[in-house]
């Protein structure tokens, strides 16, 4: 008996251990902390305020048949306003009013309100229930409409006390919107989705996989995804009934798999289904996601049953998911925001083998080589195209645009990347050292291109060392030496010719007449000319002058006076 109990206990421990480490989870009716589900419903938001300084808001409430239709409206902190509430369903509401807030209901409304604060401010009047007609009626009665909000399965509707206007037009033009962007009200709705996360942790450095499953019995709809702050290892596994379309409003996601068409809104490109999966059970979808991504666990599983033809999902990853994630203002547009998980690696040489460390100082007279890479979108092959590049500092220096050269890069050596090089010559006159390199990128698929974000890197730049000037060194080659020799020879010929010309014209001997030179030298017997005799007898006049000169020289002062 004891042996059977021991084996049973061992089997129970093994079962508990396996269930604790299982990568599969059972979804429950709770919100996914990483995802926010927004329905794109009809509404408007304007800048209208009535002459009595009161705002005019319309609240249209829709309830699912299976839900308990109970909600509350809290207007104790509201600005002066007229709130028109309409619904086609039977529901019960609890109100909290102040003296300047009023609620208007239709005479035929099936809404029942209860509350003790200012019950006299609840009015029943005759107004249409159709959206467009209701806007016209409110405009005629109050002068305009500040906002029109459609919400499904409302639980609470709390006015925050801030102004409910939006800069822009005074006209309420109904269109699909994300009502969570309206900051003047806090709304809480019933949870209509299921989610879970496995107990088995993801290995360090492993991919973060989020699974979204729309069951086969749900309405076929167009699901728009807005990707917020995520990591480059994030992957999405998207599964829905045939006819579902997933649209990425911005190109943040790095990898995905889907059994439906996926639209890249920024490039107007459709990616065809990459998997086949008809079974919609949570376990089968989770196992298929793990198999196709080669992972041992995933981050979250979400199961959604849309009740409308359009749905908006906002993904926001954080280190620790919060209970509430701030809802960004969503604008459904084909223009992509300025975000993209791109990587820029800088190199010091054109062989791209020596990555530059961000702390390495680079002289401004050097050329920098950069490789820009990004992860592919699912199975779609994209090419990167550099639009331009800038350098900017944290100081007061303006942003400097730098010209760049596209470097050769084969598909085998650098897939999903491109290479460029640029010079830092423009920074030689600036004293700042820390600079950020930023290059906006286009992502292209076939002939379709769209903005994919900016690749960035940090660079520390120093001025080149100035060497002391060295004395000039003249390097004469053979032609120079021959030229100097010929010039000296020519100058000598000219000088000799000039001296010979002077001798011929003047007839006087020059330094080149060796015979005349020798004639004036004592003891030289050679002379080429006859010497003239020197007379020893002076003339009488010369003799008398000489005598007088001698006599005056030899006489004394006494004899002169005598």
């Amino acid at each position: 008996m004891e042996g059977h109990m021991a084996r049973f206990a061992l089997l129970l421990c093994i079962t508990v251990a396996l269930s604790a480490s299982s990568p599969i989870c059972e979804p429950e009716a709770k919100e996914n902390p990483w995802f926010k589900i927004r329905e794109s419903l009809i509404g408007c938001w304007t800048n209208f305020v009535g002459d009595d300084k009161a705002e005019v808001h319309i609240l249209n409430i829709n309830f699912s048949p299976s839900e308990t239709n109970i909600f509350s409206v809290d207007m104790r902190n509201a600005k002066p306003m007229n709130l028109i509430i309409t619904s086609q369903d039977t529901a019960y509401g609890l109100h909290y009013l102040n003296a300047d807030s009023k609620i208007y209901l239709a005479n035929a409304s099936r809404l029942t309100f209860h509350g003790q604060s200012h019950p006299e401010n609840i009015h029943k009047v005759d107004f249409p229930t159709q959206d467009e007609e209701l806007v016209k009626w409110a405009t005629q009665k109050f002068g305009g409409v500040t906002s029109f909000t459609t919400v499904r399965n409302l639980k609470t509707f709390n006015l925050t006390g801030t102004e409910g206007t939006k800069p822009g037009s005074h006209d309420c033009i109904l269109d699909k919107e994300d009502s969570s962007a309206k900051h003047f009200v806090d709304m809480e709705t019933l949870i209509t989705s299921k989610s879970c996360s496995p107990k088995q942790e993801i290995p360090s450095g492993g991919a973060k996989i989020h699974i979204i499953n729309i069951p086969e019995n749900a309405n076929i709809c167009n699901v728009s995804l807005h990707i917020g702050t995520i990591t480059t290892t994030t992957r999405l596994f998207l599964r829905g009934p045939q006819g579902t379309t997933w649209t990425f409003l911005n190109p943040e996601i790095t990898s995905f798999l889907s059994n439906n068409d996926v639209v890249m809104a920024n490039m107007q490109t459709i990616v065809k289904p990459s998997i086949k999966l008809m079974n919609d059970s949570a376990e089968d979808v989770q196992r298929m996601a793990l198999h196709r991504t080669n992972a041992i666990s995933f981050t979250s599983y979400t199961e959604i049953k849309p009740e409308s033809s359009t749905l908006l999902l906002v993904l926001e990853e954080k280190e620790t998911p919060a209970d509430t994630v701030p809802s960004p203002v969503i604008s459904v547009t084909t223009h992509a925001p300025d975000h993209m998980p791109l990587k820029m690696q800088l190199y010091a040489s054109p062989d791209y083998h020596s990555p530059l460390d961000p702390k390495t100082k680079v002289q401004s007279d050097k050329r920098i080589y950069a490789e820009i890479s990004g992860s592919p979108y699912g199975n779609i092959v994209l090419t990167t195209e550099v639009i331009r590049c800038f350098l900017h500092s944290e100081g007061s220096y303006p942003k400097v645009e730098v010209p760049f050269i596209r470097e050769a890069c084969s598909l085998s050596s650098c897939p999903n990347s491109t290479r460029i090089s640029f010079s830092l010559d423009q920074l030689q006159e600036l004293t700042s050292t820390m600079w950020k390199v930023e290059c906006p990128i286009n992502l292209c698929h076939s002939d379709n291109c769209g903005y994919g974000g900016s690749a960035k890197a940090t660079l520390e730049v120093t001025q080149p060392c100035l060497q002391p000037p060295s004395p000039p060194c003249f390097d004469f080659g053979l032609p120079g030496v021959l030229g100097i020799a010929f010039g000296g020879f020519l100058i000598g010929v000219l000088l000799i010719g000039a001296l010979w010309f002077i001798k011929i014209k003047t007839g006087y001997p020059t330094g080149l007449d060796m015979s005349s030179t020798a004639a004036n030298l004592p003891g030289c017997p050679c002379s080429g000319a006859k010497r003239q005799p020197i007379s020893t007898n002076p003339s009488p006049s010369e003799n008398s002058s000489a005598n007088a000169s001698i006599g005056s020289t030899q006489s004394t002062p006494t004899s002169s006076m005598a």
Side-chain angles (χ1 to χ4, degrees):
M1 183 68 179
E2 293 180 358
H4 290 289
M5 291 297 296
R7 284 193 292 270
F8 177 76
L10 180 61
L11 181 61
L12 180 62
C13 292
I14 294 175
T15 304
V16 172
L18 289 176
S19 62
S21 61
S22 175
I24 306 302
C25 64
E26 184 67 27
E28 300 176 357
K30 63 178 181 179
E31 289 186 351
N32 187 331
W34 285 276
F35 277 96
K36 288 297 178 181
I37 302 174
R38 309 277 187 250
E39 286 187 288
S40 297
L41 302 176
I42 294 297
C44 75
W45 193 8
T46 73
N47 196 29
F48 173 78
V49 177
D51 295 335
D52 57 352
K53 306 301 180 182
E55 300 171 358
V56 179
H57 298 274
I58 300 176
L59 176 61
N60 182 19
I61 309 174
N62 298 326
F63 289 98
S64 301
S66 60
E67 299 297 339
T68 302
N69 305 342
I70 299 176
F71 66 97
S72 67
V73 176
D74 191 343
M75 303 175 66
R76 286 174 290 187
N77 298 323
K79 297 282 186 181
M81 71 168 56
N82 299 306
L83 178 62
I84 303 169
I85 303 179
T86 180
S87 177
Q88 302 294 326
D89 305 305
T90 301
Y92 303 90
L94 183 65
H95 68 76
Y96 302 92
L97 305 179
N98 60 32
D100 297 324
S101 59
K102 300 177 182 179
I103 293 179
Y104 290 84
L105 303 174
N107 287 328
S109 175
R110 290 184 283 182
L111 297 176
T112 303
F113 272 93
H114 300 276
Q116 297 181 352
S117 58
H118 303 283
E120 70 279 2
N121 286 355
I122 296 182
H123 306 277
K124 281 202 168 185
V125 296
D126 186 17
F127 59 74
T129 57
Q130 297 296 323
D131 297 342
E132 296 285 353
E133 297 298 325
L134 181 56
V135 171
K136 291 180 181 178
W137 177 86
T139 302
Q140 292 175 356
K141 181 174 179 61
F142 301 105
V145 175
T146 307
S147 76
F148 187 108
T149 304
T150 302
V151 60
R152 195 183 304 276
N153 299 322
L154 179 67
K155 288 180 63 177
T156 60
F157 187 87
N158 299 333
L159 279 303
T160 61
T162 59
E163 293 185 359
T165 59
K166 176 184 178 181
S169 173
H170 282 46
D171 300 328
C172 176
I173 301 176
L174 296 180
D175 198 359
K176 291 183 178 180
E177 66 169 7
D178 174 25
S179 59
S180 64
K182 296 177 178 178
H183 58 267
F184 60 90
V185 59
D186 288 333
M187 292 182 292
E188 183 182 357
T189 60
L190 295 175
I191 299 174
T192 58
S193 63
K194 297 180 179 181
S195 67
C196 66
S197 295
K199 296 180 180 180
Q200 183 172 347
E201 296 183 356
I202 300 174
S204 178
K208 297 181 178 180
I209 302 171
H210 296 279
I211 306 171
I212 304 175
N213 180 24
I214 301 178
E216 287 292 321
N217 59 356
N219 294 330
I220 297 174
C221 69
N222 296 325
V223 184
S224 299
L225 296 103
H226 184 274
I227 311 303
T229 305
I230 63 171
T231 62
T232 56
T233 59
T234 299
R235 299 179 182 179
L236 290 186
F237 187 89
L238 312 174
R239 189 243 166 249
Q242 187 175 1
T244 303
T245 301
W246 307 83
T247 302
F248 285 97
L249 300 179
N250 60 337
E252 281 289 340
I253 194 64
T254 59
S255 181
F256 62 83
L257 292 171
S258 178
N259 69 322
N260 308 118
D261 288 346
V262 177
V263 178
M264 312 302 295
N266 65 311
M267 293 183 294
Q268 299 180 354
T269 300
I270 299 178
V271 182
K272 293 300 180 181
S274 54
I275 59 174
K276 291 183 179 181
L277 181 58
M278 299 301 296
N279 196 332
D280 63 353
S281 69
E283 182 176 350
D284 290 341
V285 173
Q286 293 173 24
R287 292 192 183 279
M288 175 62 76
L290 293 175
H291 171 68
R292 293 303 300 266
T293 57
N294 295 322
I296 62 173
S297 185
F298 56 89
T299 302
S300 72
Y301 170 86
T302 306
E303 191 172 296
I304 308 170
K305 287 187 176 181
E307 298 187 22
S308 60
S309 60
T310 58
L311 193 67
L312 175 65
L313 299 181
V314 180
L315 171 61
E316 189 82 17
E317 275 188 347
K318 296 184 177 181
E319 293 298 328
T320 302
D323 293 334
T324 58
V325 178
S327 302
V329 178
I330 306 301
S331 176
V332 180
T333 173
T334 58
H335 299 286
D338 185 16
H339 296 287
M340 177 64 192
L342 294 167
K343 177 184 178 182
M344 178 187 292
Q345 179 63 58
L346 303 180
Y347 295 86
S349 60
D351 57 6
Y352 290 88
H353 290 162
S354 303
L356 274 177
D357 189 274
K359 298 180 181 180
T360 302
K361 297 182 179 181
V362 182
Q363 294 185 3
S364 59
D365 58 347
K366 302 296 183 182
R367 191 163 190 85
I368 303 300
Y369 298 85
E371 183 174 22
I372 300 171
S373 59
S375 300
Y377 290 96
N379 296 332
I380 185 173
V381 178
L382 298 178
T383 58
T384 55
E385 180 184 82
V386 182
I387 304 173
R388 60 179 64 90
C389 286
F390 300 96
L391 289 170
H392 58 92
S393 173
E394 295 181 354
S396 59
Y397 299 101
K399 184 179 291 187
V400 180
E401 183 172 358
V402 292
F404 62 89
I405 299 175
R406 291 179 175 85
E407 301 291 337
C409 183
S410 62
L411 185 61
S412 59
S413 60
C414 49
N416 301 315
S417 63
T418 185
R419 291 175 176 177
I420 63 172
S421 66
F422 55 88
S423 174
L424 304 175
D425 293 340
Q426 301 183 54
L427 305 182
Q428 293 189 11
E429 301 298 328
L430 302 178
T431 58
S432 179
T433 57
M434 295 302 299
W435 292 85
K436 292 183 179 179
V437 187
E438 181 177 351
C439 298
I441 303 298
N442 270 344
L443 296 178
C444 300
H445 174 62
S446 298
D447 295 331
N448 299 317
C449 293
Y451 181 67
S454 294
K456 301 177 182 180
T458 303
L459 192 64
E460 186 171 0
V461 181
T462 61
Q463 300 301 326
C465 299
L466 298 178
Q467 299 294 334
S470 57
C473 178
F474 299 100
D475 185 13
F476 297 106
L478 181 59
V481 174
L482 295 178
I484 293 173
F486 179 75
F489 172 75
L490 187 60
I491 292 173
V493 171
L494 292 176
L495 288 177
I496 294 175
L499 293 176
W500 191 261
F501 179 77
I502 293 173
K503 171 178 169 45
I504 295 174
K505 290 296 184 180
T506 58
Y508 290 97
T510 63
L512 294 175
D513 192 348
M514 299 302 297
S515 60
S516 61
T517 304
N520 293 321
L521 294 176
C524 184
C526 302
S527 177
K530 293 182 178 179
R531 299 181 61 186
Q532 297 292 333
I534 300 175
S535 176
T536 57
N537 298 321
S539 63
S541 59
E542 292 176 351
N543 192 23
S544 59
S545 299
N547 292 335
S549 175
I550 294 173
S552 60
T553 303
Q554 294 180 349
S555 62
T556 61
T558 304
S559 62
S560 298
M561 291 180 63

